[in-house]
Amino acid sequence: MIFFISSNNLFGQEIINYTTEDGLPNDIIYNFHQDNNGYLWFGTDDGLSKFNGKYFTTFTTKNGLYNNYVIDVKGYNEDTLAIATWGGGLHLFTKDSLIKPIKNDFLKINELLIYKKDIYTYFGNNIFLYKKIKKDWKLVSFGIDTTKSYVENPLKNQTISPRVSKIKEDLFFHSNYKSGLHDSKYFEGVSILTNNKKLEYRFSHLNGKVISTITNFNNSFIAAEGNKLIFLNEEKILNEEVLNFMGFNIIKIIPLNKEELLLLSSDKNSFKELYLYHLKNKKIINVREKYNINSTVSDFGLDFENNIWITTNGSGVFQIPNLKTGILPVVKDDAIYKMKYYNDKLYALSPGYLWEIKGNKQKKIKLNAFGKGLHVYKNKLYISSFTQKDTLLIDNNIIEIKGLLNYRDEDFVISSQESLVINGKEEKRIPNSINHILKTETHLIFSTGLGLYLLNKKTNEVTSLDFKELQNTQITKTIKKDDALWVATNKGLVKYKNNKIERFTVDEGLLSNNIKDILINDDEKLWIATSKGVSVFDGVSFVNITKEENLISNNVTSLVKNNKGEIFIGTTAGISVYNTKKEIVEQPPPIINVYQDNSSFTFDVISYNSSNSLFSQYQINNEKWITTSANKVNFNNFKEGNYSFQLRAKKPNSVWQYSESYKFSIVIPFYKKKIFIVLIILIIFGLSILFIINQLRKSKKANKKLKNAIEEQEQLEKKLNSVRENIAQDFHDDLGNKLASITVLTDLLSGKITGENEKKIVYKIQENSDSLYKGTKDFIWSLNSKSDNLEELVTYLSDFGEEFFHKMNISFKIQKEIATNISLPYYWSRHIILIFKEAMTNVAKHANAKDCEIRFFCDFKVLKIQLLDNGKGFKESDLKFTNGLKNMQLRAVKINGDINISSTEKGTLISFNSKLPKRGS
């Protein structure tokens, strides 16, 4: 939670309160400590909390604490913390690990003081010492007796306990403010412990005074007695000042600067208050009351940036940022676009208005329209605006003129409206989007939305600076310094000198590349207005000013200066003023902590008053710096080799802070290396080639076997055909002749027999002989190898049909669609002939058809033969005998085909379909 405060220069503008809502484990906080790496540590009622400026990390009993009540934290050595717990004794914390020096130590200790290797602490009014002896620890109590001798483990009431302070390398003993007044006589002044264990006064001029604390200040010392401050050096007391808070003892003093002290005081009930004391005006401020802190203060301290940290018993932690600047507000809550300092007055354009400011007097003048620009010529202020009137007199010295831009000098009158007009003539060589005009001895330089253009005042020649950094770039303003042009663009700051270009961007520390305005101050430093604040450039590095330095807004639009050393900063939220006669307060740079894990780097960039505006970059092998907003980078994907890593960071108003350079190497596993991958590819390629060669060899052998098999099959087919032809010839010559002889003999016999019965017998013999002859003829034809040809089959069936149906007085037609003559598998022709002979016979016997047609179709894959008649048709259920149809189906199946029969009253279609086997199968 952030409260806006109108305070003196010490406390800046705001106080920040961190509570459990921000990550603290408890709002009861006992103390504050900053370690050597810049981290802040807080002891709380629920553990030890670490803060890096962005988030808290808490360590509790789960991490090794014996008790979560952490009362004090101090730095023991460079990388180890000493931790006091209430009921858990002393802990040491190193590398995020907690250890107990003495296992059975369960003291309720509070404050710690580290002196060399030993640790002093308090338990109630008693003082204890953790002594380190080689690698072991020893816990002893001690006190000072009446002879001012040091006594370890004293008897009850034998000694009293002093308070111990350390200044540089010296250990001082003085009064314990908790002991009570009755012990004060034993601790007058400040003593040191001699080698013979006796107390000896360190400052003789403090004898007789009861000192509750002492610290060094400006090469001398400050001590406190009750509510009195004592200023002293080695020889004498310089001054004494009694402060107005009776009943309180000052127990802690921290100088804030040369003029201010922070004082922690405590009453007898240990109720504490924090005060700010100004040494010159003697003013005392109760810090708790000033900032409305409801809980009591427990501790306070300063970090490396001189921010004040206040711990409380119930309200968490408060931070008062150290943001002292010379920046003050002039105008608030109004958007400013352009400014001009003229006639000892500041003029500023806001929407529809003109501000006129002189000293504490402010005047807001209403304009006729929205103002766009300001220009001074011959003791008059010209306002370019969207007014519909050509000119409008605001007063005797202020004139409102129509146009986006108006410029006048002794030689030129320039206006930009719908077009650019110079001295009454339209100018088309220069873009009309003009933001600024700079007059030099020889040229007018136009900053435009499309680049930089130069008009020669003598020759009227127009040229453009032909650099890629400036081409088609929004240029807001150009100024001249040391024979160089400084150009403000939306891509950074550009320096043009001797026909060379140099660019400055966020990579060099500029707040933003989007520059709105620039000016040169009397000290030759360049002030740059950006959308993220003001950057001040001395030619080497940038110092930045933002809201954290008290700017009204970071969106800066305009800059002007006066003759009093003041720079006015116009923003979208008002106007701020900075007195440049006061040196810009340069903040200490952030602290960088880098943690390396091989080629991965995690880092904390620590700042407590600029944590939201830190700027970080890293560099690999001294190459270009790379901006990063992350806190971790990983280079595992880099090429194999050796690398160096360095980080740098800065705050807006600080110099760069550099980390040390870290070395790392990238070693690629052998199986990921290119040579290994190439080798694997070559091996795979080689194995593939060998596999292909082997397959080719196998294929060649298989082809050879197939060729031999084909040749053998062809030889077998030739032999089979020869056998078939011989069998056919033998059947024809032997069986055929004998059947023919039987037919002739039965004809002769029938002529000589007169009995009817005998004639019937002879006729039957003749009929069977004729049928057997024809069947034998078909069989002999099928045995012939020529019968395998499709054309032979077609011819045979066609001839048979014509002869058969001619006798029956039935018209017979033939239709043929055969792509080419093919050879059918052996014995196909025999089955097909018998199928269609059966079909033709059925047509002749039962169909009463007048027409019959046979169709042949073949396309290398399918053989289709159909027989179609126009007879009366039939129903298979009406047939008495179906053996013929079954035989037809069985024959079709034998040759991998099927028979489909479709019959209606208009005729019957018998269709044979079969897939032709592939050649060679």
Side-chain angles (χ1 to χ4, degrees):
M1 179 165 41
I2 298 177
F3 305 93
F4 182 79
I5 299 295
S6 176
S7 65
N8 62 1
N9 287 337
L10 163 67
F11 294 107
Q13 297 299 312
E14 60 185 30
I15 184 169
I16 304 170
N17 183 204
Y18 297 99
T19 66
T20 53
E21 293 182 359
D22 304 294
L24 279 169
N26 197 299
D27 287 337
I28 297 177
I29 314 294
Y30 293 106
N31 86 308
F32 154 90
H33 173 71
Q34 179 173 351
D35 67 18
N36 293 327
N37 295 317
Y39 295 106
L40 301 186
W41 297 84
F42 301 98
T44 81
D45 259 2
D46 281 312
L48 177 66
S49 196
K50 175 184 178 183
F51 188 49
N52 66 355
K54 295 179 180 178
Y55 55 85
F56 292 89
T57 304
T58 299
F59 304 88
T60 65
T61 53
K62 295 180 181 179
N63 307 101
L65 282 175
Y66 274 53
N67 194 299
N68 282 337
Y69 294 102
V70 178
I71 310 302
D72 197 11
V73 184
K74 291 291 190 299
Y76 179 70
N77 56 35
E78 186 174 347
D79 58 0
T80 303
L81 298 177
I83 302 166
T85 66
W86 190 256
L90 178 70
H91 295 68
L92 295 179
F93 186 85
T94 180
K95 297 179 180 179
D96 288 351
S97 296
L98 284 156
I99 57 175
K100 271 183 71 68
I102 301 175
K103 297 297 182 182
N104 59 350
D105 171 22
F106 300 105
L107 282 180
K108 297 178 180 179
I109 58 176
N110 45 63
E111 297 178 61
L112 299 174
L113 185 140
I114 314 299
Y115 183 69
K116 297 181 179 179
K117 293 182 179 182
D118 297 334
I119 301 174
Y120 292 83
T121 188
Y122 302 88
F123 173 39
N125 289 331
N126 300 311
I127 187 166
F128 287 82
L129 176 62
Y130 289 89
K131 298 176 68 175
K132 188 173 184 181
I133 304 171
K134 295 183 178 180
K135 294 183 179 181
D136 297 323
W137 288 83
K138 181 181 179 182
L139 176 61
V140 298
S141 65
F142 74 91
I144 307 299
D145 65 13
T146 55
T147 65
K148 292 193 175 182
S149 297
Y150 173 89
V151 180
E152 285 192 357
N153 298 320
L155 300 175
K156 187 176 181 180
N157 298 325
Q158 180 185 359
T159 62
I160 59 173
S161 299
R163 188 162 188 82
V164 183
S165 296
K166 187 177 77 169
I167 300 178
K168 296 182 180 180
E169 297 302 320
D170 294 327
L171 196 64
F172 295 163
F173 292 80
H174 52 83
S175 174
N176 186 345
Y177 68 92
K178 293 184 179 181
S179 298
L181 294 176
H182 65 280
D183 295 322
S184 61
K185 61 182 179 180
Y186 297 103
F187 284 96
E188 294 177 354
V190 176
S191 302
I192 59 173
L193 189 66
T194 63
N195 292 332
N196 60 0
K197 301 296 183 179
K198 286 276 190 177
L199 287 186
E200 181 181 280
Y201 286 124
R202 173 67 173 77
F203 303 99
S204 59
H205 38 293
L206 288 180
N207 293 352
K209 298 183 179 296
V210 180
I211 303 301
S212 56
T213 187
I214 185 170
T215 189
N216 56 332
F217 175 64
N218 292 342
N219 297 318
S220 58
F221 301 92
I222 303 177
E225 183 183 29
N227 63 341
K228 180 169 62 177
L229 292 176
I230 303 172
F231 299 86
L232 66 148
N233 58 22
E234 295 283 353
E235 291 80 24
K236 63 181 180 179
I237 293 176
L238 303 174
N239 187 28
E240 295 185 13
E241 297 181 14
V242 178
L243 305 185
N244 186 23
F245 40 86
M246 294 299 295
F248 282 82
N249 291 324
I250 300 172
I251 61 173
K252 187 174 182 179
I253 303 172
I254 295 181
L256 185 61
N257 50 54
K258 292 181 179 180
E259 297 179 354
E260 294 169 312
L261 302 176
L262 286 168
L263 310 173
L264 186 66
S265 64
S266 175
D267 65 7
K268 61 181 180 180
N269 297 316
S270 296
F271 181 88
K272 298 174 184 176
E273 291 281 14
L274 177 63
Y275 295 92
L276 168 72
Y277 180 57
H278 198 282
L279 296 173
K280 285 189 176 181
N281 60 26
K282 311 304 178 184
K283 186 177 181 180
I284 301 175
I285 298 174
N286 186 313
V287 177
R288 185 182 62 82
E289 292 178 355
K290 179 177 181 60
Y291 290 113
N292 297 317
I293 300 174
N294 296 322
S295 301
T296 59
V297 175
S298 56
D299 191 19
F300 81 99
L302 301 176
D303 62 24
F304 73 98
E305 296 169 316
N306 228 35
N307 302 301
I308 301 172
W309 293 86
I310 305 168
T311 61
T312 70
N313 293 307
S315 296
V317 178
F318 291 85
Q319 177 196 2
I320 304 176
N322 175 29
L323 296 172
K324 293 189 294 183
T325 66
I327 297 175
L328 298 173
V330 177
V331 173
K332 295 182 179 180
D333 302 323
D334 202 358
I336 304 299
Y337 298 109
K338 296 287 183 182
M339 295 190 302
K340 202 78 173 178
Y341 198 84
Y342 152 71
N343 201 20
D344 219 21
K345 297 176 183 178
L346 174 68
Y347 290 93
L349 286 176
S350 68
Y353 289 89
L354 175 70
W355 284 89
E356 182 183 85
I357 302 169
K358 184 175 183 179
N360 294 326
K361 296 180 179 180
Q362 297 183 354
K363 183 179 178 182
K364 196 173 183 181
I365 304 168
K366 185 171 179 58
L367 299 176
N368 188 53
F370 192 97
K372 289 292 291 180
L374 297 171
H375 179 68
V376 175
Y377 177 63
K378 289 188 175 179
N379 208 31
K380 292 186 183 296
L381 179 68
Y382 293 88
I383 305 169
S384 303
S385 79
F386 290 124
T387 180
Q388 297 301 311
K389 299 179 181 181
D390 289 338
T391 59
L392 184 67
L393 192 65
I394 304 296
D395 63 25
N396 291 333
N397 296 317
I398 302 175
I399 303 170
E400 189 173 351
I401 303 179
K402 180 180 180 180
L404 300 175
L405 177 139
N406 286 278
Y407 172 88
R408 297 174 182 229
D409 64 21
E410 293 78 7
D411 302 312
F412 292 91
V413 176
I414 302 173
S415 66
S416 173
Q417 298 181 29
E418 289 81 7
S419 61
L420 179 62
V421 178
I422 300 179
N423 292 340
K425 295 181 180 180
E426 186 177 0
E427 176 58 71
K428 295 185 178 180
R429 296 173 295 174
I430 301 173
N432 192 29
S433 56
I434 298 173
N435 297 312
H436 178 261
I437 299 174
L438 172 66
K439 179 182 177 181
T440 68
E441 293 180 0
T442 58
H443 290 82
L444 290 181
I445 301 176
F446 294 80
S447 300
T448 79
L450 295 173
L452 202 63
Y453 290 81
L454 284 71
L455 173 65
N456 191 302
K457 294 195 292 186
K458 290 185 178 180
T459 65
N460 203 37
E461 180 183 359
V462 174
T463 57
S464 170
L465 285 186
D466 192 18
F467 290 93
K468 64 179 181 179
E469 290 86 355
L470 299 176
Q471 289 178 346
N472 298 321
T473 299
Q474 181 73 244
I475 297 177
T476 53
K477 190 173 181 179
T478 304
I479 59 176
K480 190 174 181 181
K481 176 180 179 287
D482 298 333
D483 296 325
L485 292 180
W486 292 86
V487 186
T489 80
N490 63 343
K491 297 178 182 178
L493 179 67
V494 174
K495 179 183 179 182
Y496 174 71
K497 185 176 183 180
N498 298 328
N499 209 33
K500 293 182 179 179
I501 289 287
E502 186 178 3
R503 183 193 291 276
F504 302 88
T505 67
V506 293
D507 290 338
E508 286 72 44
L510 191 64
L511 271 175
S512 169
N513 291 336
N514 188 12
I515 301 177
K516 307 294 185 66
D517 196 6
I518 50 175
L519 70 78
I520 303 169
N521 192 28
D522 297 336
D523 58 5
E524 297 299 307
K525 291 181 180 178
L526 197 65
W527 285 63
I528 305 155
T530 81
S531 59
K532 293 186 178 180
V534 176
S535 294
V536 182
F537 186 51
D538 61 4
V540 178
S541 61
F542 292 89
V543 173
N544 298 313
I545 302 172
T546 65
K547 285 182 68 176
E548 292 185 341
E549 284 70 50
N550 212 27
L551 271 186
I552 289 180
S553 169
N554 284 338
N555 194 355
V556 182
T557 56
S558 183
L559 298 167
V560 295
K561 65 177 181 178
N562 62 15
N563 54 7
K564 299 176 182 178
E566 294 175 324
I567 291 181
F568 294 92
I569 304 167
T571 76
T572 55
I575 303 172
S576 300
V577 63
Y578 185 83
N579 190 340
T580 59
K581 291 182 179 179
K582 296 181 179 180
E583 188 68 24
I584 296 177
V585 179
E586 187 174 285
Q587 288 276 337
I591 292 176
I592 298 175
N593 295 309
V594 179
Y595 306 95
Q596 182 179 6
D597 182 11
N598 296 323
S599 59
S600 296
F601 295 87
T602 303
F603 43 86
D604 278 330
V605 179
I606 299 177
S607 170
Y608 298 105
N609 58 19
S610 301
S611 60
N612 294 322
S613 55
L614 293 170
F615 187 69
S616 302
Q617 295 179 325
Y618 66 86
Q619 184 185 56
I620 301 296
N621 288 354
N622 296 319
E623 296 177 356
K624 184 179 179 181
W625 289 94
I626 299 171
T627 302
T628 179
S629 58
N631 69 336
K632 185 175 182 178
V633 287
N634 189 312
F635 305 108
N636 291 338
N637 60 343
F638 270 32
K639 295 180 180 179
E640 189 169 31
N642 298 319
Y643 298 90
S644 64
F645 169 85
Q646 189 175 26
L647 185 75
R648 70 177 184 179
K650 70 187 299 293
K651 297 188 290 188
N653 53 351
S654 78
V655 296
W656 287 104
Q657 177 75 290
Y658 291 82
S659 73
E660 64 177 280
S661 182
Y662 295 85
K663 306 294 183 183
F664 68 96
S665 299
I666 299 295
V667 179
I668 300 176
F670 73 94
Y671 55 86
K672 288 186 177 180
K673 292 185 178 180
K674 286 184 177 180
I675 187 169
F676 179 80
I677 295 172
V678 170
L679 182 61
I680 291 298
I681 292 172
L682 290 176
I683 291 172
I684 293 173
F685 180 75
L687 292 175
S688 300
I689 295 296
L690 291 175
F691 177 77
I692 292 171
I693 292 172
N694 186 49
Q695 291 300 111
L696 288 174
R697 287 176 179 172
K698 289 182 179 180
S699 177
K700 189 174 180 180
K701 288 180 180 180
N703 288 338
K704 188 174 181 180
K705 288 181 179 179
L706 180 60
K707 184 179 178 181
N708 293 335
I710 291 172
E711 289 177 353
E712 289 177 1
Q713 184 177 354
E714 288 176 351
Q715 292 296 326
L716 290 172
E717 286 180 355
K718 287 180 181 180
K719 291 180 180 180
L720 180 59
N721 289 337
S722 176
V723 170
R724 288 171 61 189
E725 289 172 2
N726 291 333
I727 292 172
Q729 185 65 41
D730 291 344
F731 262 86
H732 182 271
D733 293 344
D734 188 9
L735 187 57
N737 289 336
K738 289 180 180 179
L739 289 172
S741 176
I742 292 171
T743 302
V744 173
L745 291 173
T746 54
D747 285 341
L748 292 174
L749 184 61
S750 63
K752 294 179 180 181
I753 296 174
T754 58
E756 289 297 325
N757 292 330
E758 289 82 356
K759 282 186 177 183
K760 288 180 180 180
I761 295 171
V762 171
Y763 178 74
K764 190 68 175 176
I765 293 171
Q766 188 178 12
E767 187 181 50
N768 290 338
S769 175
D770 184 56
S771 176
L772 181 59
Y773 175 75
K774 290 179 179 179
T776 303
K777 183 180 178 182
D778 292 341
F779 177 69
I780 292 171
W781 178 84
S782 65
L783 285 176
N784 196 314
S785 61
K786 293 179 180 179
S787 65
D788 294 340
N789 293 331
L790 180 57
E791 287 289 354
E792 288 290 330
L793 174 64
V794 172
T795 300
Y796 190 92
L797 283 175
S798 299
D799 290 345
F800 175 81
E802 285 179 347
E803 181 182 352
F804 180 72
F805 286 115
H806 179 71
K807 293 178 182 179
M808 304 296 177
N809 199 25
I810 297 174
S811 173
F812 182 69
K813 294 180 181 180
I814 303 166
Q815 184 177 337
K816 181 174 70 171
E817 291 183 26
I818 298 175
T820 185
N821 189 19
I822 62 172
S823 179
L824 297 173
Y826 172 65
Y827 216 62
W828 273 42
S829 57
R830 171 67 177 166
H831 287 293
I832 293 171
I833 287 171
L834 293 176
I835 289 170
F836 282 95
K837 272 190 173 184
E838 177 71 24
M840 290 179 187
T841 301
N842 289 336
V843 171
K845 287 182 178 181
H846 310 294
N848 294 332
K850 293 182 179 181
D851 298 304
C852 186
E853 182 179 354
I854 191 167
R855 300 171 181 171
F856 300 93
F857 173 81
C858 183
D859 64 353
F860 299 106
K861 294 182 179 179
V862 176
L863 173 63
K864 182 185 292 185
I865 304 174
Q866 295 177 330
L867 184 67
L868 177 67
D869 68 67
N870 62 354
K872 63 180 181 181
F874 66 92
K875 292 182 179 180
E876 192 170 350
S877 60
D878 297 337
L879 297 178
K880 295 181 179 180
F881 303 102
T882 59
N883 289 335
L885 294 178
K886 291 180 179 180
N887 289 334
M888 291 168 65
Q889 291 282 8
L890 290 173
R891 290 186 184 278
V893 171
K894 287 181 179 180
I895 56 175
N896 198 29
D898 60 69
I899 294 291
N900 292 314
I901 301 175
S902 175
S903 183
T904 66
E905 294 178 353
K906 294 182 180 181
T908 301
L909 174 64
I910 298 174
S911 180
F912 166 79
N913 298 281
S914 180
K915 291 183 180 180
L916 294 172
K918 294 181 180 180
R919 183 175 177 82
S921 62

